[in-house]
Amino acid sequence: MKEIPKAYEPAKVEQLWYPRWEQAGLFHGKIDSDKKSYSIVIPPPNVTDVLHIGHALNNTLQDIMIRWRRAMGYESEWMPGVDHAGIATQVVVEKNLAKEGISRQKLGREKFLKKVWSWKDDKFDRILNQLKRIGCSCDWDRTRFTMDEGLSRAVIEVFVRLYEKGLIYQGNRLINWCPRCLTSLSDDELEREDIDSRLWFIKYKIKGSDEYLTVATTRPETMLGDTAIAVNPKDKRFAKVVGQSAILPILDRELPIIADDFVDMEFGTGAVKVTPAHDPNDFEIGNRHNLERINILNDNGSLNENAGKYAGLDRYEGRRKLVEDLKDRGHLEKIEDYKLSVSVCYRCDTVVEPYLSLQWFVKMASLAGPAIEAVKSGELKFYPDHWSKTYLYWLENIRDWCISRQLWWGHRIPAYHCRDCAEVAVAREKPQVCGKCGSANIEQDPDVLDTWFSSWLWPFSTFGWPDETPEIKKFFPTKSLFTASEIIYLWVARMVMASYEFMGRLPFNDVYIHGTVRDADGEKMSKSKGNGINPIEIIDKYGADALRISLILATPEGQDPYISEKSFESGRNFANKIWNASRFVISNFDGYEPKLEISPEVKDLELPDVWILSRLAKTIGQVNNYLSGYRFNTAARTAYDFIWKDFCDWYLEMIKPRLASVAVEEVKNRARQVAGFVLMQILRMLHPFMPFVTEEIYHLLPGVAEDEFLSNAGWPEPALKFINDKLEKDFELVQTVIGAIRNVRAEMDVPPGKTADVLIKTSDEKAAAILEEQRAQLIILGRINNLVIGSDIKKPPLAASSVVSIGEIYIPLEGLIDMESERKRLDKELEKQKQYLERIKKKLANSDFLNRAPSEVIDSEKEKQAATEESIEKLNKNLESLSGW
């Protein structure tokens, strides 16, 4: 028999098994396999940085699913890869260069891109190593990068096809502009922030009159680009001025006063300034009324020559000086405090500007139709289902997608401009000459594509599209996608649209949305807050299996997990529990070689054996069903409870006398056989959740060869012949009684090594019969000396008691404990609890505390009060038990 270390050493085990799995090619999906395929593509992590704890959760979920399917006999393929993350990566590299006093403009495009590629290479390798440390069973032979040669070719192909179809166009439109990143952003790349701002009321003189129109604005500097004043046609207050003109303060430009239904009569004064080049609503009003568009901003957010004397000033400095001038000239009526919601860049948190710019767009309406129908028909499912509403809302209100970015890092737009005649050609390769004028003076569009333009092709481009590859035939479409809610519209919906457009079918059928990892106080984890958890540090301290199972157990379906470093102790303890239980079972083989793959015959078994096999069969079936429905937390909890409670705490304790050296060999062997069989099934069932510790224990079992692996051992089948509902229900009574006995012993501080007399009073004849049948188990598990079960039992003097559903349990204490010492201990504990209760009551009676404390803190104090009152009641009861001494 192999020697088994006393303690589980995760670092040593993980370093041993992961390379062996890779060398054995266990993770590589075979394209020539006859097996039914199951494939998923990884949501590619960004090369901006290494993985965080949210990545660990996401990839653990995927690994559980792929290992489960692999064990079930599917030809499984988990495609790994990393995203170039255009704007995000460029920003982080620029910030690093800035620390050295270097700007990308100073470096130039070519040298800057070399710096970014170097950054990418470092982070790419570290990310893949992190995934391996977590235990991810990805097909590393097929690792992809969104800017590798194959995926870049796919991006160009899609751009050209959509352009040729009339779905990509270039237009001078109002877009979101980041003055820090110097690029456009799509609506979906913005984040909203509520800030304390002002509402400025500015007076515009009506031409040829001494009267004024007052308008309210949150951005007074944009008035320098005003080309009209607008009122609602139904607003009788302004009927007489519609068609007249107003004079723009400071610049003295004449502005038409127009009527438009969009104007909200309740906002401000009911009259609004119209700035078509700097507000999306004003842009539409301008289109309806053929208004001029005057841009007052430079790309860095400073004011340009159209701002007159304010040219060159930062937008906020320009605002300050303009407001001073308006006040000095009598054009500022008043200023009011105002809560304002602003859009900020999702990468650098700079307030973005609506900005008139020539950009590339994709027409989305026609692409959205099939993606909407996929959910409505039930072909595409979300888990939990309520996320389908988020998906549908965005698609049913979709707008054209601005896909050009004024960056250097990313896929360069395949559009070529003739410098001589301004002709634009979209092509898969650079034209040699201009198709219109024949000039060779051609340059490629300097802009790059939105990073999501490559990501939306991920489910099929990674398998080799646009070529018809064997990988596409075998593994596309994929089955499941695992992601977070914040990118349902940025990524999920777009992948569905792209897949329908270029593949004619869904890219996947199931979308599992997991929660966002938060700290113990419910705050979202982030570097800036300093509350993040490094998954590799957790692995170094507790092990990969502890990281994985702790995350799953802490993440209820559809909810955000609250995590602290202490959360991972539960996973470590569970791994140790499994190790110690396995060590006990294997060490008791002692020359006996159980048939681990063959289930025992019921007729040869004792009641504890039948009970554990029934529980095992049910547990396997339940875990199987829960995983099928993406209920990872419930599946893990079910397996956890069976292993910890049923197998370790109950079954192994029950068979210890049968495994003792004095036991009859045949009796001993039956216990060995059942324990070994159940352990084997546990290892198979738990392997997707905790692959390292299960693989190590598997290879400690007798008869397992070095080149055998759990992933090839198969998923356990629930043996229906063992299911015995009656026995399980009967044993629940035994567990209740034993639990009550153990609680009494603990409360009365009975030494663990002492056996006690136990009297069970019950008038329930059926319960009494069950307890008599299970007498042997009660004696073993309850550490009982003499057991009496009956209906006419009287409580002995100096006995502790416990009330259970079927009656009462008495444990005579004389001889078990030192009565005087126990009385003193209980008195001391009672006084301590009373003082604690008094402090809680004072706190809850304090009006300042009740008014200032968060509701959850108050609720927590109330729970403490209830628990303390219950503890005091128990202590009084226990003291009463000693009162006759």
Side-chain angles (χ1 to χ4, degrees):
M1 188 170 64
K2 300 172 186 174
E3 186 177 345
I4 307 172
K6 286 186 178 180
Y8 176 57
E9 302 174 68
K12 184 177 178 181
V13 168
E14 290 159 20
Q15 290 167 13
L16 169 70
W17 286 113
Y18 202 92
R20 289 196 187 180
W21 291 334
E22 283 191 278
Q23 290 161 13
L26 298 181
F27 309 153
H28 184 66
K30 299 176 179 62
I31 55 177
D32 57 353
S33 169
D34 293 331
K35 296 179 183 177
K36 187 177 179 181
S37 65
Y38 182 92
S39 58
I40 54 178
V41 289
I42 197 172
N46 293 341
V47 292
T48 46
D49 206 347
V50 293
L51 303 183
H52 53 64
I53 200 70
H55 290 111
L57 171 61
N58 177 274
N59 287 286
T60 295
L61 291 166
Q62 292 177 83
D63 195 51
I64 290 169
M65 184 58 65
I66 206 74
R67 285 180 182 273
W68 175 55
R69 291 296 183 181
R70 192 180 289 126
M72 292 185 76
Y74 287 81
E75 192 59 49
S76 299
E77 171 65 23
W78 183 10
M79 174 77 75
V82 178
D83 198 301
H84 69 282
I87 185 172
T89 304
Q90 178 157 320
V91 166
V92 75
V93 173
E94 283 190 69
K95 285 181 178 178
N96 273 343
L97 289 173
K99 294 174 185 176
E100 304 171 27
I102 303 171
S103 69
R104 69 177 168 108
Q105 290 80 6
K106 185 177 179 181
L107 270 181
R109 186 166 192 151
E110 188 176 339
K111 288 184 179 179
F112 176 75
L113 286 178
K114 283 183 179 178
K115 293 281 187 184
V116 186
W117 276 105
S118 176
W119 175 278
K120 170 262 167 187
D121 290 341
D122 173 59
K123 292 296 185 283
F124 186 93
D125 291 341
R126 290 174 67 186
I127 287 168
L128 296 192
N129 286 330
Q130 280 185 300
L131 289 169
K132 292 178 181 181
R133 289 287 309 275
I134 292 167
C136 297
S137 56
C138 301
D139 185 353
W140 304 112
D141 296 335
R142 293 192 172 104
T143 303
R144 303 307 301 263
F145 176 56
T146 49
M147 283 178 64
D148 67 29
E149 185 178 345
L151 270 64
S152 297
R153 179 170 157 244
V155 166
I156 293 171
E157 183 66 28
V158 164
F159 189 98
V160 172
R161 288 195 194 184
L162 291 177
Y163 180 81
E164 291 173 347
K165 199 173 179 178
L167 293 178
I168 283 183
Y169 65 95
Q170 194 175 27
N172 205 27
R173 298 271 301 274
L174 204 64
I175 50 91
N176 307 299
W177 184 264
C178 176
R180 157 63 184 78
C181 300
L182 299 179
T183 183
S184 62
L185 298 168
S186 71
D187 293 340
D188 309 309
E189 293 173 302
L190 306 179
E191 292 181 352
R192 304 295 295 180
E193 285 185 5
D194 293 326
I195 63 170
D196 293 321
S197 185
R198 303 281 182 85
L199 198 58
W200 287 268
F201 290 78
I202 303 170
K203 296 161 61 178
Y204 289 63
K205 192 174 188 298
I206 297 174
K207 184 182 179 183
S209 167
D210 291 331
E211 295 182 5
Y212 288 84
L213 271 180
T214 300
V215 303
T217 180
T218 57
R219 298 158 67 218
E221 70 281 4
T222 62
M223 66 174 282
L224 301 171
D226 286 357
T227 55
I229 299 290
V231 298
N232 193 295
K234 297 175 184 176
D235 198 332
K236 295 178 181 179
R237 294 174 294 175
F238 305 110
K240 66 179 183 179
V241 299
V242 174
Q244 297 186 46
S245 296
I247 304 301
L248 177 67
I250 307 298
L251 294 184
D252 295 328
R253 186 163 60 241
E254 190 172 329
L255 309 175
I257 301 173
I258 62 175
D260 194 277
D261 289 326
F262 178 78
V263 178
D264 180 0
M265 292 186 285
E266 302 299 320
F267 177 76
T269 64
V272 298
K273 55 191 281 306
V274 182
T275 320
H278 293 287
D279 183 275
N281 297 317
D282 292 2
F283 181 82
E284 297 301 330
I285 292 174
N287 286 344
R288 289 194 288 273
H289 297 271
N290 198 27
L291 299 176
E292 184 183 2
R293 302 165 181 167
I294 300 175
N295 176 26
I296 63 159
L297 291 175
N298 295 311
D299 60 5
N300 65 357
S302 63
L303 300 175
N304 65 19
E305 66 278 2
N306 291 328
K309 68 177 186 177
Y310 308 102
L313 296 177
D314 172 76
R315 52 183 167 163
Y316 297 121
E317 177 63 15
R319 174 186 294 180
R320 189 183 66 79
K321 293 202 171 185
L322 173 62
V323 169
E324 285 179 3
D325 290 345
L326 288 170
K327 187 176 182 180
D328 291 343
R329 298 188 187 191
H331 286 290
L332 189 63
E333 184 175 293
K334 62 178 178 177
I335 303 173
E336 293 181 354
D337 291 335
Y338 190 74
K339 280 282 186 184
L340 183 64
S341 179
V342 297
S343 297
V344 299
C345 175
Y346 78 120
R347 284 303 175 187
C348 69
D349 294 326
T350 302
V351 175
V352 302
E353 288 286 345
Y355 190 71
L356 194 64
S357 179
L358 185 66
Q359 302 287 343
W360 291 91
F361 297 85
V362 178
K363 295 178 183 177
M364 302 298 286
S366 63
L367 297 174
I372 291 171
E373 182 55 30
V375 163
K376 289 186 173 180
S377 68
E379 192 178 356
L380 177 62
K381 292 183 173 65
F382 280 80
Y383 298 84
D385 177 66
H386 64 82
W387 288 114
S388 62
K389 295 176 183 176
T390 302
Y391 169 94
L392 285 173
Y393 178 82
W394 183 75
L395 284 172
E396 290 171 347
N397 295 276
I398 201 163
R399 297 199 289 181
D400 287 359
W401 176 16
C402 178
I403 56 170
S404 46
R405 298 289 181 272
Q406 289 62 55
L407 304 169
W408 290 349
W409 174 244
H411 296 97
R412 194 99 170 251
I413 290 175
Y416 301 89
H417 302 262
C418 177
R419 290 182 175 178
D420 294 330
C421 73
E423 177 72 3
V424 178
V426 170
R428 292 170 179 83
E429 296 179 357
K430 182 179 179 179
Q432 296 300 309
V433 295
C434 173
K436 183 176 180 181
C437 71
S439 170
N441 192 12
I442 295 171
E443 68 174 354
Q444 188 172 359
D445 195 305
D447 291 351
V448 300
L449 288 161
D450 178 6
T451 192
W452 298 104
F453 196 87
S454 55
S455 301
W456 77 326
L457 314 178
W458 187 254
F460 52 92
S461 63
T462 49
F463 289 117
W465 188 91
D467 294 332
E468 278 290 332
T469 63
E471 284 81 3
I472 286 179
K473 291 177 182 177
K474 182 66 179 175
F475 298 119
F476 184 86
T478 64
K479 175 58 180 172
S480 313
L481 179 76
F482 298 77
T483 191
S485 61
E486 57 263 30
I487 55 175
I488 287 175
Y489 44 84
L490 282 169
W491 192 43
V492 179
R494 285 175 177 161
M495 283 191 288
V496 175
M497 288 187 279
S499 188
Y500 270 120
E501 177 67 18
F502 299 105
M503 305 300 291
R505 61 197 303 185
L506 275 171
F508 33 72
N509 294 103
D510 299 335
V511 180
Y512 179 80
I513 305 294
H514 59 75
T516 299
V517 180
R518 300 181 181 277
D519 66 17
D521 297 319
E523 292 289 325
K524 188 174 180 180
M525 290 188 178
S526 69
K527 279 188 177 179
S528 59
K529 292 178 182 176
N531 63 347
I533 293 175
N534 183 334
I536 300 305
E537 290 179 3
I538 297 299
I539 291 171
D540 288 340
K541 187 171 183 178
Y542 298 106
D545 289 328
L547 170 84
R548 292 164 64 107
I549 197 67
S550 298
L551 283 173
I552 302 303
L553 290 172
T555 309
E557 286 89 11
Q559 298 179 39
D560 294 345
Y562 287 20
I563 299 288
S564 67
E565 185 174 320
K566 192 173 178 62
S567 304
F568 300 97
E569 292 178 4
S570 63
R572 176 202 60 195
N573 295 343
F574 187 42
N576 289 337
K577 184 81 169 180
I578 296 162
W579 180 263
N580 291 333
S582 301
R583 188 171 181 272
F584 170 77
V585 171
I586 296 169
S587 65
N588 270 285
F589 290 154
D590 194 22
Y592 171 77
E593 192 163 320
K595 299 178 177 64
L596 300 175
E597 304 291 344
I598 302 172
S599 61
E601 289 298 323
V602 178
K603 62 182 177 63
D604 297 329
L605 305 177
E606 297 187 20
L607 284 176
D609 304 331
V610 179
W611 173 78
I612 194 65
L613 290 169
S614 180
R615 292 293 307 122
L616 173 67
K618 279 190 179 178
T619 301
I620 292 170
Q622 288 167 348
V623 171
N624 205 49
N625 290 337
Y626 293 141
L627 289 177
S628 295
Y630 300 95
R631 296 179 62 185
F632 295 95
N633 173 268
T634 311
R637 177 61 61 187
T638 301
Y640 179 97
D641 287 345
F642 170 77
I643 295 164
W644 192 296
K645 297 176 183 177
D646 294 346
F647 185 63
C648 298
D649 288 356
W650 293 98
Y651 180 69
L652 293 185
E653 290 300 315
M654 285 190 284
I655 66 170
K656 280 182 179 178
R658 292 159 62 193
L659 293 174
S661 58
V662 294
V664 177
E665 200 67 18
E666 186 180 347
V667 173
K668 186 186 294 188
N669 288 345
R670 276 202 296 269
R672 288 166 165 172
Q673 171 62 32
V674 174
F677 174 77
V678 175
L679 177 59
M680 172 64 90
Q681 305 310 300
I682 284 173
L683 297 177
R684 288 176 172 178
M685 178 176 63
L686 196 60
H687 185 64
F689 300 90
M690 303 175 75
F692 292 106
V693 67
T694 51
E695 190 76 76
E696 177 70 6
I697 295 168
Y698 178 64
H699 282 82
L700 293 172
L701 293 171
V704 175
E706 283 296 310
D707 59 353
E708 293 181 36
F709 298 96
L710 262 178
S711 61
N712 295 333
W715 179 255
E717 286 290 329
L720 301 181
K721 68 178 182 179
F722 290 127
I723 294 178
N724 189 325
D725 291 329
K726 180 185 179 303
L727 178 59
E728 287 192 38
K729 188 170 178 51
D730 290 351
F731 199 74
E732 284 176 13
L733 175 59
V734 174
Q735 291 174 308
T736 300
V737 170
I738 295 300
I741 294 169
R742 287 174 174 173
N743 286 340
V744 169
R745 290 178 64 104
E747 288 168 8
M748 302 307 297
D749 209 23
V750 176
K754 282 191 175 183
T755 57
D757 292 344
V758 173
L759 298 86
I760 303 174
K761 179 180 179 180
T762 179
S763 57
D764 186 330
E765 293 181 2
K766 185 178 178 182
I770 292 169
L771 294 177
E772 284 293 354
E773 187 180 20
Q774 300 283 352
R775 173 178 284 271
Q777 312 316 321
L778 288 167
I779 290 171
I780 294 168
L781 298 169
R783 297 182 183 277
I784 298 172
N785 184 29
N786 294 307
L787 174 63
V788 180
I789 303 169
S791 59
D792 57 351
I793 296 172
K794 292 183 180 180
K795 182 180 179 182
L798 301 177
S801 65
S802 177
V803 177
V804 292
S805 60
I806 60 158
E808 290 185 81
I809 299 171
Y810 307 127
I811 302 179
L813 298 174
E814 195 166 4
L816 276 183
I817 59 175
D818 182 324
M819 297 289 197
E820 184 58 32
S821 297
E822 181 60 14
R823 187 195 299 279
K824 289 179 180 177
R825 186 187 73 81
L826 291 173
D827 280 333
K828 185 177 179 182
E829 181 63 24
L830 180 61
E831 185 59 31
K832 179 181 173 184
Q833 291 294 321
K834 283 180 177 178
Q835 290 175 6
Y836 182 54
L837 179 62
E838 192 59 32
R839 290 197 298 272
I840 296 172
K841 284 182 174 180
K842 282 182 180 178
K843 186 181 286 188
L844 288 172
N846 186 318
S847 57
D848 285 344
F849 170 74
L850 295 175
N851 291 331
R852 295 179 182 179
S855 59
E856 57 267 23
V857 173
I858 296 171
D859 290 341
S860 174
E861 290 300 314
K862 288 179 179 178
E863 288 172 8
K864 289 177 188 175
Q865 179 180 347
T868 307
E869 287 171 342
E870 184 180 350
S871 178
I872 289 171
E873 185 180 346
K874 285 183 178 179
L875 288 166
N876 280 322
K877 184 180 176 184
N878 291 339
L879 278 167
E880 188 181 333
S881 299
L882 303 178
S883 61
W885 182 77

